[in-house]
Amino acid sequence: MTFNRRHFLQTAAAAAAPLAFVTPSRAAAAKELRLGIITPAGHSWNRAALQFGEALNKATNGRLTVTVFHSGQLGNESVMMQQLQSGALDMGWIQAAELGTRVASVASINAPYLVRSTPAVAKLVRTPAALKLLDVLPRETGTVGLGWGITGMRVVFSAKDIKTPNDLKGLKLRINPTPVYRDFYQYFGAAPTPIPTPAVFDAMTNGQVDGLEADVEFSWNQRFDKVAKVLMPMNALFMPFAPLFSGRVWQTLDTADRDLIRQLTTQALDLQIAEIVTTEAGLIEKFKQTPIVFRDTAGFDPKPAIEAFDKVWLPKAPQIAELRAVGATL
């Protein structure tokens, strides 16, 4: 179910209080889990969150329920991370970009050209190499990572004619503000311009930016083809998210409930990942039926970009090398 910010604030103070010893009977008591997420209702991440909540409610006969606060009702992801750390928020489905700004090793999952297609993304995030990136989260962030969900490979929409990534030079490009994306697009000479997501369409319309990069699902929902001339697949980047559980709250759950939550989260993620792989191809075909020019960059050689990126990032996130090796096999 969904709820509003007022409901959350009424219960947050109690949740943030210092933890007391939890007896087995208290651990088994009925509990409402509050889950925060930035994407709007109807987005695939939200549908997966609701599916998880329904499954948990059913599996526990209503003892454990989930209230989903969508569309950033509780604040941005940085704010939600603080709430998770204090125990004021039980769960958050948080982008790797936010985690990567806090933990360099986790940023490796955002490195460019780990894989070249969304079906390969679906495989990569389930590998031990990707999942073990979450192992540091309890120590570094006070949260427990329960797996990865995905978006598809990101594309660039441009109001100017571009044919290859090299044509991004000089473009004011709205990007996700994570340092990995910034460094990647600066390599091509773009001027990364962070703009809040709700303002992107208008920014393209009034020329505040020349283009933007985003995933296909979000782009179709926002209809960026109506404010751009060219759609160019980068075949380079994707933005996963991790369902996180507050470490403080996790400690209050018994082993059976923890195992159940992990199992049902994995099931919800599997469905979300499969949905993205299936629907992205259809959305690309829809874009091809619009007037927007669709560029094919399959012949672009990314090796120089990879070498330049890794020169900067491998010292900070050596896990990138393992992810590249795994990705090459998918």
Side-chain angles (χ1 to χ4, degrees):
M1 80 182 154
T2 58
F3 241 92
N4 57 32
R5 186 181 182 90
R6 180 180 178 184
H7 172 81
F8 171 80
L9 293 175
Q10 289 173 341
T11 58
L19 296 178
F21 177 75
V22 181
T23 63
S25 60
R26 182 179 172 189
K31 181 174 179 59
E32 175 198 21
L33 300 175
R34 299 170 302 281
L35 188 158
I37 190 168
I38 64 167
T39 47
H43 190 277
S44 67
W45 296 4
N46 294 68
R47 292 195 296 273
L50 292 171
Q51 289 166 356
F52 161 75
E54 292 168 1
L56 186 63
N57 181 28
K58 182 177 180 180
T60 62
N61 293 317
R63 180 172 58 84
L64 296 178
T65 60
V66 178
T67 300
V68 177
F69 296 87
H70 61 79
S71 306
Q73 294 178 64
L74 306 182
N76 61 28
E77 290 186 319
S78 179
V79 170
M80 286 194 285
M81 284 296 294
Q82 295 173 8
Q83 294 165 351
L84 287 166
Q85 290 167 337
S86 73
L89 181 62
D90 302 294
M91 298 186 70
W93 289 31
I94 306 295
Q95 293 180 98
E98 174 64 28
L99 297 175
T101 62
R102 297 166 183 266
V103 187
S105 62
V106 179
S108 61
I109 196 70
N110 284 132
Y113 299 112
L114 298 179
V115 292
R116 307 294 198 276
S117 70
T118 297
V121 170
K123 297 176 182 178
L124 179 66
V125 296
R126 293 180 170 111
T127 64
L131 292 172
K132 73 181 180 182
L133 296 176
L134 302 172
D135 291 348
V136 302
L137 294 183
R139 180 180 70 251
E140 298 292 337
T141 69
T143 65
V144 178
L146 302 177
W148 292 112
I150 67 169
T151 60
M153 299 294 284
R154 297 175 84 85
V155 302
V156 167
F157 288 83
S158 174
K160 299 181 178 180
D161 189 25
I162 56 175
K163 295 180 174 63
T164 77
N166 290 328
D167 295 329
L168 296 175
K169 185 175 181 178
L171 262 65
K172 293 180 294 181
L173 190 67
R174 188 274 176 182
I175 70 166
N176 184 293
T178 182
V180 168
Y181 282 25
R182 178 201 63 208
D183 291 352
F184 175 70
Y185 284 108
Q186 283 181 338
Y187 165 80
F188 290 109
T193 308
I195 294 175
T197 299
V200 175
F201 190 95
D202 288 343
M204 279 285 291
T205 302
N206 62 31
Q208 184 180 353
V209 294
D210 301 311
L212 65 101
E213 61 85 34
D215 65 272
V216 171
E217 178 190 16
F218 178 73
S219 298
W220 180 257
N221 291 338
Q222 298 295 310
R223 294 308 304 267
F224 291 135
D225 57 295
K226 295 184 178 295
V227 291
K229 295 180 180 179
V230 174
L231 184 160
M232 184 173 71
M234 293 297 289
N235 300 324
L237 300 168
F238 67 97
M239 180 59 71
F241 72 94
L244 304 183
F245 214 100
S246 167
R248 290 173 60 87
V249 179
W250 192 252
Q251 294 172 13
T252 71
L253 302 177
D254 62 27
T255 300
D257 282 346
R258 293 181 188 179
D259 290 345
L260 179 62
I261 289 168
R262 284 189 182 277
Q263 174 189 346
L264 296 181
T265 301
T266 298
Q267 290 177 6
L269 292 177
D270 286 344
L271 291 172
Q272 188 271 333
I273 291 169
E275 178 185 350
I276 290 295
V277 173
T278 301
T279 60
E280 184 185 75
L283 293 177
I284 288 174
E285 289 304 314
K286 287 184 177 181
F287 274 125
K288 288 183 177 180
Q289 300 305 313
T290 71
I292 198 167
V293 176
F294 198 98
R295 296 299 186 197
D296 183 358
T297 58
F300 178 76
D301 180 11
K303 186 176 180 180
I306 293 172
E307 291 176 347
F309 180 88
D310 285 359
K311 183 177 180 180
V312 174
W313 274 91
L314 277 177
K316 296 186 288 188
Q319 295 82 358
I320 292 172
E322 182 180 6
L323 292 173
R324 286 204 191 287
V326 172
T329 69
L330 302 177

